Amino acid sequence: MKSKRAQMKQLLLLVTGLAMATSLGANPGLEALETATASFESAAIERIFDGTVEAVHQATVSAQTAGRIAEVGYDVDDFVDAGSVLVRFTDVEQSTALRQAEAQLVEARARLTEAEEDYRRAQNLRERGLGSQRDLDGALASRQSAGARVTSAESAVEAARQQLAYTVVKAPYPGIVTERHVEVGESVSPGQPLMSGLSLERLRVATDLPQSVASEVRKNPFAALNTGEGRVEAADITLFPIADPVTNTFRVRLDLPEGQFGLYPGMFVKVAFRIGEADRLLVPTSSVLHRSEVTAVYVVSPEGVRLRQVRTGQSFGEKTEVLAGLAAGETVALDPVRAGIFAKSSQESASD
């Protein structure tokens, strides 16, 4: 059995259809207009909060060795490819240390070769009964000691090579330089910041939610951003498990899909969170006309086509909510431009 509300809606649509049919007979040009009926539909209830755009990848590269700045490859607002040289140090000390370590490694290997020959001779003499066990044990200890020195020298060479590599600082990922901390000729020490940057390839939005909204977001994790280029749905939502003890709000991070969307780190944006559903009066978005400060639709009725100012709310896909100025069951023109031409010609005909 149909509800009383559904029966009333069908009756309203029937009466509107009959009136429109009569109007079409009296105004032959009206049948060329594509129309739609304003009706109540179930749509999401959303709460809007302010959020801040952040870069997922942002970092400050620091010196890992001491030296003097010989070259700075980029400046603020420059785009940097992954692996590009950001800063180059003078490497006299590091190169010298590497050569010394390599020379010590060569010496250690020569000592190991000599110790192995001594051990083989002592072992041969012992097997023939011409040498003592003490001599063999001493040769074995010397061989093991020489082997340990080779291992130590190899580690020293690797450390020296790494220190030399630290004199060339490269970009860990592609991005834009946001801050430059050093100048050419400046002496730096390990840990000193050199350059800051971030990547615009992956962005996210951070905002804080009150406890009541956070509970609904946990049940239904959906959020979207209202940007200058349209509505962008969050690709992933991370809701922190604990509330801030001072504000009693929950921090939430929204990962954005790939794309720029006209957003940059540090910008404020409006974030809509879905907390339920309700019936809303919706019309096709194409029927809404925006002229300066005026928002209106062309209403098609038995009396003709008339422009009527309305107050709109949120957009839901290809439909827009009407808060005031229009009633359920009224018919609107899908093409405001064509409807405006028809309305103007009708007024001119009436004045004649």
Side-chain angles (χ1 to χ4, degrees):
M1 185 176 180
K2 295 183 178 179
S3 64
K4 184 177 179 180
R5 182 176 180 178
Q7 292 176 352
M8 291 297 293
K9 182 181 292 187
Q10 286 187 351
L11 180 59
L12 180 60
L13 293 176
L14 178 60
V15 173
T16 304
L18 292 174
M20 283 297 299
T22 304
S23 177
L24 290 175
N27 300 282
L30 282 177
E31 69 271 9
L33 290 178
E34 295 185 11
T35 61
T37 303
S39 60
F40 282 98
E41 298 181 25
S42 179
I45 300 175
E46 296 181 339
R47 290 280 301 276
I48 309 297
F49 295 90
D50 290 329
T52 304
V53 180
E54 299 176 345
V56 176
H57 294 150
Q58 53 183 338
T60 297
V61 292
S62 302
Q64 294 179 276
T65 186
R68 184 171 56 84
I69 303 298
E71 177 186 344
V72 178
Y74 296 90
D75 205 347
V76 174
D77 200 38
D78 289 343
F79 179 80
V80 180
D81 291 320
S84 299
V85 177
L86 300 176
V87 178
R88 193 185 300 273
F89 297 176
T90 55
D91 59 359
V92 176
E93 294 181 1
Q94 289 80 3
S95 298
T96 301
L98 176 60
R99 288 195 295 270
Q100 289 177 346
E102 290 175 339
Q104 291 173 357
L105 176 60
V106 172
E107 180 183 3
R109 286 173 175 170
R111 294 289 185 185
L112 176 60
T113 300
E114 181 182 6
E116 288 177 342
E117 290 293 335
D118 291 343
Y119 175 74
R120 281 194 292 270
R121 282 194 293 268
Q123 187 179 36
N124 186 33
L125 291 174
R126 177 59 180 164
E127 291 174 352
R128 293 166 56 190
L130 301 177
S132 66
Q133 182 64 38
R134 181 176 181 178
D135 293 337
L136 180 61
D137 293 341
L140 177 61
S142 297
R143 188 186 72 167
Q144 292 175 340
S145 177
R149 283 194 293 270
V150 169
T151 302
S152 177
E154 289 175 344
S155 299
V157 169
E158 186 63 29
R161 285 175 180 168
Q162 189 61 57
Q163 287 296 318
L164 180 60
Y166 286 155
T167 62
V168 179
V169 181
K170 298 182 180 181
Y173 48 78
I176 295 177
V177 178
T178 58
E179 193 171 359
R180 171 179 167 179
H181 304 283
V182 293
E183 299 291 340
V184 175
E186 183 177 348
S187 296
V188 297
S189 56
Q192 183 172 340
L194 302 176
M195 196 170 291
S196 299
L198 54 84
S199 173
L200 295 178
E201 293 183 353
R202 294 189 58 191
L203 299 176
R204 66 188 180 196
V205 175
T207 186
D208 296 314
L209 300 180
Q211 298 179 25
S212 57
V213 177
S215 299
E216 295 298 330
V217 172
R218 289 188 189 278
K219 299 175 186 176
N220 183 20
F222 176 87
L225 275 69
N226 297 320
T227 70
E229 297 186 5
R231 190 176 174 90
V232 180
E233 293 186 5
D236 188 37
I237 299 178
T238 302
L239 185 61
F240 284 32
I242 59 175
D244 187 282
V246 178
T247 62
N248 294 324
T249 57
F250 287 86
R251 171 57 59 115
V252 60
R253 286 200 310 236
L254 312 175
D255 292 335
L256 303 183
E258 293 185 2
Q260 222 283 312
F261 308 110
L263 300 176
Y264 294 91
M267 292 178 61
F268 282 104
V269 292
K270 297 293 184 181
V271 185
F273 291 90
R274 182 180 296 172
I275 61 173
E277 292 188 350
D279 287 342
R280 300 175 184 269
L281 183 61
L282 302 180
V283 296
T285 303
S286 60
S287 66
V288 181
L289 179 68
H290 299 279
R291 289 292 183 269
S292 185
E293 301 296 328
V294 177
T295 302
V297 295
Y298 278 100
V299 180
V300 181
S301 67
E303 289 75 24
V305 181
R306 295 291 183 270
L307 181 66
R308 185 185 300 175
Q309 187 173 355
V310 295
R311 182 160 60 93
T312 58
Q314 301 178 22
S315 295
F316 301 92
E318 297 181 354
K319 293 192 175 183
T320 299
E321 178 186 12
V322 177
L323 300 175
L326 197 66
E330 291 191 287
T331 303
V332 296
L334 294 180
D335 188 349
V337 176
R338 192 169 186 179
I341 297 174
F342 183 88
K344 183 177 180 180
S345 62
S346 298
Q347 292 174 359
E348 292 175 352
S349 300
S351 62
D352 292 341

